[in-house]
Amino acid sequence: MTEMKPVSEATAVKAPVLPDAQTVTEVKHWTDRLFSFKVSRPASLRFRSGEFVMIGLLGDNGKPLLRAYSIASPSWDEELEFYSIKVQDGPLTSKLQHIQPGDQIILRPKPVGTLVHDALLPGKRLWFFATGTGFAPFASLLREPQTYEDYDEVIITHTCRDVAELDYGRELIENIRQDELLAELIGEGFANKIRYYPTTTREESPKMGRITELLKDGSVFADLGIEGGIKPDTDRAMVCGSLAFNHDIKAILEEFGLREGANSEPKEFVIEKAFVG
C-alpha cells in the first residue's frame, strides 16, 4: 500500500503542474548517442503519419523547453513513439535522455509537417532518405497502410556513422516483416514492397559511403537493380536529415527532374525542414 502524505503549500510549489503532460511508458537506449521512448497519446490527438509535434520538459526557469520531434509511431497507434539523439550539454536532450517510465513530458497536441502523402503527387516508387534520427518520420510511414496502397515499391535509405546507429531502423523493419497485425491491417505480402538500404560513413559495414555520393555515382541504382535512376514520372521522395544533407539531396533530386512539393502544392518530393540532427 502506498503511504499517503499530506501536500503542504511548500511541496506544492516545488512540484509545478506540467502543461500538456503525457506519461512516459517505455524507454530504450540504443547507443550512447541515441534513444527512443513512448508516451501516452492524448485521446483527442489526430495526426497524419509523418508529422511532428513539439515536445519537451520544464526548463530550469520553470518555463516549457520545447523542440520539434517527428512522431515515429503510425497514426493508428495507441501510443506515441519518438526517436532522439543525446546531447550532453543540450538544453533539452541533456535532461530528456534521463526520463524513465512513469515520468511526464510536455506534448503540444498540434501536429504539422511536410512528410505526408498529401504533399506528393501519385507515383509508383517511394524513396525515404534519412540520416541519424531522421529515420523517425519514416518509422511512422513504414507502418502506414496508405504507403503500400499508393506505391508498388518503398525504398528506405538510412545513413549513419556507425553500425550500431542503424539498429533502431533495422530492428523496426525486421519487426514490420514479421508483424501479423500489420499484415492483417495492410494486407499479406505488403512488406515485400520494402527495400532497405543502410550505409555507414565511419565504421566498416556491408555498404560504406554517404547516400549522396552513392546516388551521384549510381551505386544505389546498380545495387537495387534500378535502370535509369530516379524518374519524375514514377518516383517520389521524402527527405529528413541535417540541413546540409537535405540541401544535397534536394539538389540531386532536382537534377533528376523532380520538384519540391508542399501540403498546399503536391509535387514529386518533400523535405522536413523542422528537423535537424
Side-chain angles (χ1 to χ4, degrees), residues 65 67 86-95 97:
L65 180 60
R67 295 289 185 271
K86 305 175 187 178
V87 181
Q88 299 310 317
D89 58 351
L92 177 59
T93 59
S94 61
K95 298 180 176 64
Q97 63 184 286

Side-chain angles (χ1 to χ4, degrees), residues 6 12 51 56 78 103 138 165 173 184 196 234 253-254 258 264:
E51 290 188 313
E78 295 180 353
D103 291 346
F138 306 135
E165 295 178 348
I173 290 174
E184 182 178 337
Y196 177 46
T234 57
L253 293 175
E254 289 178 339
L258 277 63
S264 58

Side-chain angles (χ1 to χ4, degrees), residues 31-239:
T31 72
D32 59 356
R33 295 183 66 251
L34 300 168
F35 72 109
S36 61
F37 58 97
K38 295 181 181 180
V39 303
S40 55
R41 177 174 178 171
S44 60
L45 178 63
R46 298 291 180 269
F47 70 95
R48 295 174 295 176
S49 293
E51 290 188 313
F52 66 86
V53 289
M54 302 298 292
I55 68 172
L57 299 167
L58 288 181
D60 295 335
N61 60 1
K63 296 181 180 180
L65 180 60
L66 305 173
R67 295 289 185 271
Y69 270 74
S70 292
I71 303 173
S73 46
S75 60
W76 50 264
D77 206 324
E78 295 180 353
E79 293 183 307
L80 300 177
E81 181 180 355
F82 299 96
Y83 185 39
S84 178
I85 58 172
K86 305 175 187 178
V87 181
Q88 299 310 317
D89 58 351
L92 177 59
T93 59
S94 61
K95 298 180 176 64
L96 192 64
Q97 63 184 286
H98 299 297
I99 57 173
Q100 300 289 333
D103 291 346
Q104 291 187 333
I105 68 164
I106 302 168
L107 189 149
R108 295 281 194 253
K110 295 180 180 179
V112 292
T114 56
L115 299 184
V116 293
H117 287 302
D118 294 343
L120 292 176
L121 294 172
K124 293 184 178 181
R125 180 190 292 127
L126 178 60
W127 295 81
F128 293 142
F129 294 108
T131 58
T133 53
F135 191 94
F138 306 135
S140 174
L141 287 157
L142 284 167
R143 291 176 282 182
E144 168 58 49
Q146 186 180 349
T147 300
Y148 306 95
E149 294 169 2
D150 289 357
Y151 297 95
D152 299 329
E153 189 176 13
V154 181
I155 301 173
I156 171 72
T157 81
H158 191 200
T159 300
C160 295
R161 299 184 307 175
D162 307 317
V163 173
E165 295 178 348
L166 295 167
D167 285 350
Y168 174 83
R170 176 188 52 76
E171 185 173 303
L172 181 134
I173 290 174
E174 289 177 357
N175 290 338
I176 287 175
R177 296 189 189 282
Q178 301 168 13
D179 196 312
E180 295 180 359
L181 173 62
L182 279 176
E184 182 178 337
L185 182 67
I186 300 173
E188 290 290 343
F190 80 94
N192 294 332
K193 294 185 176 183
I194 301 174
R195 307 190 71 181
Y196 177 46
Y197 195 84
T199 74
T200 57
T201 58
R202 292 188 184 179
E203 185 179 0
E204 189 72 27
S205 71
K207 193 64 185 183
M208 298 285 295
R210 299 182 185 280
I211 191 65
T212 48
E213 297 305 318
L214 299 173
L215 285 167
K216 290 177 181 177
D217 67 17
S219 297
V220 175
F221 311 120
D223 292 340
L224 297 175
I226 296 174
E227 296 183 4
I230 295 174
K231 307 178 183 70
D233 57 336
T234 57
D235 291 74
R236 303 294 175 260
M238 296 185 178
V239 186

Side-chain angles (χ1 to χ4, degrees), residues 2-6:
T2 303
E3 181 183 0
M4 301 299 291
K5 295 182 179 180

